């Protein structure tokens, strides 16, 4: 995918570089038992990015390749054998990497002091820096000075540059004459990004030119462009999604928009509805976690039934005559045994009348749903 | 209303001061023919604020009192006889005002250069400054320096101070055991603030302690506190409304939350849903402009029928068991003749099965609806 021509173009095109993922203290299996979500960005890049990854850096990992850690998630994919290095210096010497991507998350998006030495080492050995933390390296005197001295670039992927010229959304994505599939959630933090990517992988497998529209920091780093919708002023959230789609329309056959939040999460429903009204999807896929009964946003909010959720998402589309339908229910069933999963899946199929699958467990089922979109006329 | 104790407490409590409204070139009837919306803040303050207004400044106005300009809108209200001065110096000499409120709007919220001389004069004659423009006087060296020199305060009412500690919304307003009435719109810019205020005036007339929750810049200046919801980071929009309500719960009998945007406006649906999920209203009033067929946000978006709009707003409430109902339809019928209005009103009553009124034309009807809320148990 070309980054050029987007108003969300970053300073570095990762497709022209080789990158190391810095996942210190979070990537190995031991660390995951303590901090289950901290390697999310590293995992996303390894599973879905189409640029070169030279290795992962984690001094605490006992595993030596990404495949040993992520197993099934990387089965049959490019980065199964990607090495894990125990220190940055070694990684820099043994690979041709010239970009360091900070791929470990900390509480509240912070940037911990103990990374400083390695980031300094990276810049001094002429590596560019990509960060998804809430800290702006480019705006910090020390780091921007060091980057300048070494003639390397900084990309703060979570930051919104003031120079973006985003229009206020006006439902113009309605004019797209290609499938635009939005993942919508029963709740926030439920797996909408993963489902968007698994569908995109399936579409590529079917020979389609597929584009993921990245709306959050992890997908932005995976894609190498995009904008964090929830970091924008309210008035421009829908317009940003609209703009991303229209910019890419000509280059692809099908679009998967990474959803955010949920209509049923009391604080993150705003980002969700901005994506619905900005993307004007032709199809939606509902992502659901069977074990979750209440929104993570409030114990007061019981999540609706699958049927009710589908009804609500289909009813909120603008313009109404887009007539977008939920075409599948994607289950996030991690932790469920096979029998429990099969039983739940069967009942969900009965309730919804739709294909139901866990996109990671059943890649074949994903391909089945996507193949139906190959010949759809919009 | 006390401002103290709110996390949205401004630097100046307008209830302890006397204010002049600076509405240069926009307030008089002649100017209104050219720029119909530019005196919106001035008008709102004169109609609804409960602090002292010493006068309006507009050198272009041929009218000499606010009542001559706003007529019916001010009939029977405090500021009917409030004088219009043709220059600030005279106004300062003839009144005891010690606050200047910028009450004229320009394209895009700008602050025009030709106001500078008067603002300088105001500060040098020891007046505090209140601004709802997008320009921050407090952060500007020249103006903050001048304020400091004269020992006067600056309140940038549209700005969000970084020191607010707003929680992420979690539907806690559900615990409010008093009526919380939210105005929701068929579209954006349709009169939701006016309807909230007319209902609040009616509630006060019925002897209730009534509070308007201000969510946009005009109402914030009218109330003397509050926060522009659409100026907040997405994650905190619902939490801000929730916080404002909970802070005020004990001091009032009934709450009217100023709505923003609309579920049917493609770019401003996010702010709308944040208010719904943050306020967790017990009742809603739908504001509708009969002449409007499409959203001002997109010619593609045909507005729904009254019945459909009510259905959508009632269906999006969280938690579902709040069971909030739309209890009336408020028409913004300006420009409609009496006969046309009566006819439309009758058909809307038939369609909705609810009381229908223009809150400005029929104050009695507003009082009728509010009196039903006096004894409601939540």
């Amino acid at each position: 995918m070309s980054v050029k021509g987007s108003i969300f173009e970053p300073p570095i095109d990762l497709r022209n570089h080789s990158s190391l993922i810095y996942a210190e203290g979070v990537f190995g299996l031991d660390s995951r038992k303590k901090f289950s979500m901290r390697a999310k960005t590293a995992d996303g890049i390894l599973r879905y990015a189409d640029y070169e990854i030279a290795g992962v850096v984690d001094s605490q990992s006992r595993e030596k390749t990404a495949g040993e850690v992520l197993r099934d998630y990387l089965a049959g994919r490019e980065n199964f054998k990607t090495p894990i290095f125990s220190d940055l210096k070694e990684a820099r010497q043994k690979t041709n990497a010239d970009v360091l991507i900070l791929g470990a998350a900390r509480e509240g998006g912070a940037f911990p002091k103990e990374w400083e030495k390695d980031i300094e080492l990276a810049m001094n050995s002429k590596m560019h820096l990509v960060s998804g933390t809430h800290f702006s390296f480019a705006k910090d005197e020390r780091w921007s000075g060091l980057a300048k001295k070494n003639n390397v670039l900084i990309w703060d992927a979570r930051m919104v540059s003031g120079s973006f010229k985003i229009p206020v959304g006006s439902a113009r994505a309605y004019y797209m004459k290609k499938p635009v599939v939005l993942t919508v959630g029963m709740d926030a933090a439920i797996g909408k990004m993963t489902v968007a990517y698994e569908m995109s992988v399936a579409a590529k497998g079917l020979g389609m030119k597929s584009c993921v529209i990245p709306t959050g920091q992890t997908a932005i780093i995976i894609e190498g462009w995009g904008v964090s919708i929830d970091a924008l002023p309210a008035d421009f959230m829908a317009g940003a999604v609209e703009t991303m789609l229209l910019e890419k329309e000509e280059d692809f056959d099908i679009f998967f928009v990474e959803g955010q939040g949920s209509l049923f999460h009391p604080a993150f429903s705003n980002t969700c509805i901005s994506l619905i009204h900005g993307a004007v999807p032709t199809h939606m896929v509902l992502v659901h976690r069977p074990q979750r009964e209440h929104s993570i946003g409030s114990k007061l909010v019981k999540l609706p039934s699958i049927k009710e959720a589908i009804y609500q998402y289909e009813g909120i589309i603008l313009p109404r005559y887009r007539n977008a339908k939920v075409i599948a229910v994607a289950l996030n069933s991690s932790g469920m045994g096979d029998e429990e999963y099969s039983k739940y899946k069967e009942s969900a199929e009965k309730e919804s009348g739709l294909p139901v699958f866990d996109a990671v467990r059943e890649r074949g089922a994903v391909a089945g749903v996507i193949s139906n979109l190959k010949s759809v006329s919009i």
Side-chain angles (χ1 to χ4, degrees), chain A:
Chain A
M1 175 191 320
S2 166
V3 171
K4 298 288 169 208
S6 170
I7 63 168
F8 306 106
E9 195 176 318
I12 307 166
D13 186 343
L14 292 173
R15 274 148 213 83
N16 300 331
H17 297 271
S18 175
S19 300
L20 285 174
I21 303 174
Y22 190 73
E24 179 56 30
V26 304
F27 194 77
L29 288 175
D30 288 347
S31 302
R32 281 166 198 262
K33 285 174 200 151
K34 279 179 284 181
F35 314 113
S36 66
M37 296 293 288
R38 291 195 174 175
K40 197 181 150 190
T41 299
D43 294 357
I45 297 169
L46 288 163
R47 288 167 71 178
Y48 303 119
D50 67 357
Y51 48 82
E52 188 182 317
I53 300 300
V56 176
V57 178
D58 178 8
S59 68
Q60 306 301 304
S61 175
R62 288 195 289 179
E63 296 72 37
K64 294 299 169 202
T65 64
E68 286 171 67
V69 176
L70 293 176
R71 301 175 195 178
D72 285 358
Y73 295 109
L74 284 183
R77 291 186 183 170
E78 197 89 21
N79 287 313
F80 194 83
K81 291 188 172 166
T82 297
I84 303 172
F85 296 99
S86 60
D87 82 72
L88 178 62
K89 206 167 171 183
E90 182 201 356
R92 181 72 179 108
Q93 282 161 355
K94 291 196 176 160
T95 70
N96 61 345
D98 64 342
V99 171
L100 186 71
I101 301 175
L102 301 184
R106 287 299 175 94
E107 218 60 62
F111 149 57
K113 229 179 151 43
E114 59 266 32
W115 296 357
E116 290 190 4
K117 236 187 79 205
D118 276 334
I119 298 174
E120 219 174 88
L121 174 71
M123 285 193 178
N124 284 332
S125 57
K126 312 297 174 199
M127 297 181 84
H128 307 292
L129 180 70
V130 176
S131 161
T133 68
H134 286 229
F135 176 81
S136 172
F137 287 87
K139 283 190 185 151
D140 182 84
E141 247 178 69
R142 170 180 169 196
W143 296 109
S144 63
L146 193 63
K148 207 175 162 185
K149 192 185 126 203
N150 286 297
N151 199 23
V152 295
L153 300 166
I154 292 172
W155 179 29
D156 288 318
R158 217 204 119 74
M159 300 296 147
V160 175
S161 139
S163 64
F164 288 167
K165 285 216 176 87
I166 305 172
V168 172
S170 61
R172 286 183 305 141
Y174 175 76
Y175 295 117
M176 304 263 305
K177 294 300 169 213
K178 292 173 176 175
V180 174
V181 185
L182 172 67
T183 52
V184 292
M186 187 66 94
D187 194 10
I190 205 161
K192 292 179 293 296
M193 185 192 85
T194 299
V195 173
Y197 271 108
E198 290 297 336
M199 291 194 292
S200 184
V201 169
K204 285 176 184 168
L206 292 163
M208 302 169 87
K209 282 186 281 176
S210 172
C211 175
V212 169
I213 298 291
T215 62
Q217 59 191 329
T218 299
I220 290 168
I221 296 180
I222 295 172
E223 292 306 304
W225 71 287
V227 63
S228 271
I229 298 300
D230 66 3
L232 291 172
D235 288 2
F236 303 105
M237 287 165 63
V241 189
E242 179 180 295
T243 301
M244 289 196 278
L245 277 163
L246 292 170
E247 276 181 350
K248 302 287 176 195
E249 181 177 11
E250 288 197 8
D251 301 338
F252 296 91
D253 302 321
I254 190 166
F255 297 84
F256 297 95
V257 181
E258 178 202 10
Q260 296 289 342
S262 164
L263 278 188
F264 313 110
H265 185 293
F268 305 153
S269 51
N270 51 5
T271 312
C272 173
I273 206 168
S274 287
L275 290 181
I276 296 172
H277 291 166
V280 194
T282 58
H283 303 84
M284 292 177 282
V285 170
L286 176 68
V287 185
H288 176 44
R289 181 151 177 75
Q291 298 97 321
R292 205 175 292 175
E293 289 180 2
H294 291 84
S295 168
I296 53 166
S298 175
K299 277 282 162 231
L300 289 166
V301 177
K302 199 175 170 310
L303 296 177
S305 68
I306 291 176
K307 208 169 166 176
E308 171 67 18
I310 291 171
Y311 183 77
Q312 290 259 8
Y313 275 115
E314 291 180 349
I316 206 83
I317 295 283
L318 294 177
R320 291 303 300 271
Y321 49 83
R322 177 62 125 179
N323 205 21
K325 296 291 180 202
V326 172
I327 54 166
V329 178
L331 299 178
N332 172 346
S333 69
S334 66
M336 265 183 156
D338 283 345
E339 200 180 328
E340 193 188 357
Y341 170 68
S342 298
K343 225 167 124 183
Y344 187 87
K345 178 182 144 120
E346 200 179 311
S347 82
E349 278 167 348
K350 217 166 154 185
E351 182 185 346
S352 64
L354 294 173
V356 176
F357 51 77
D358 182 313
V360 176
R361 281 185 196 239
E362 301 187 75
R363 289 185 186 163
V366 182
V369 168
I370 301 305
S371 68
N372 290 334
L373 297 179
K374 226 180 150 171
S375 53
V376 79
S377 75
I378 308 299

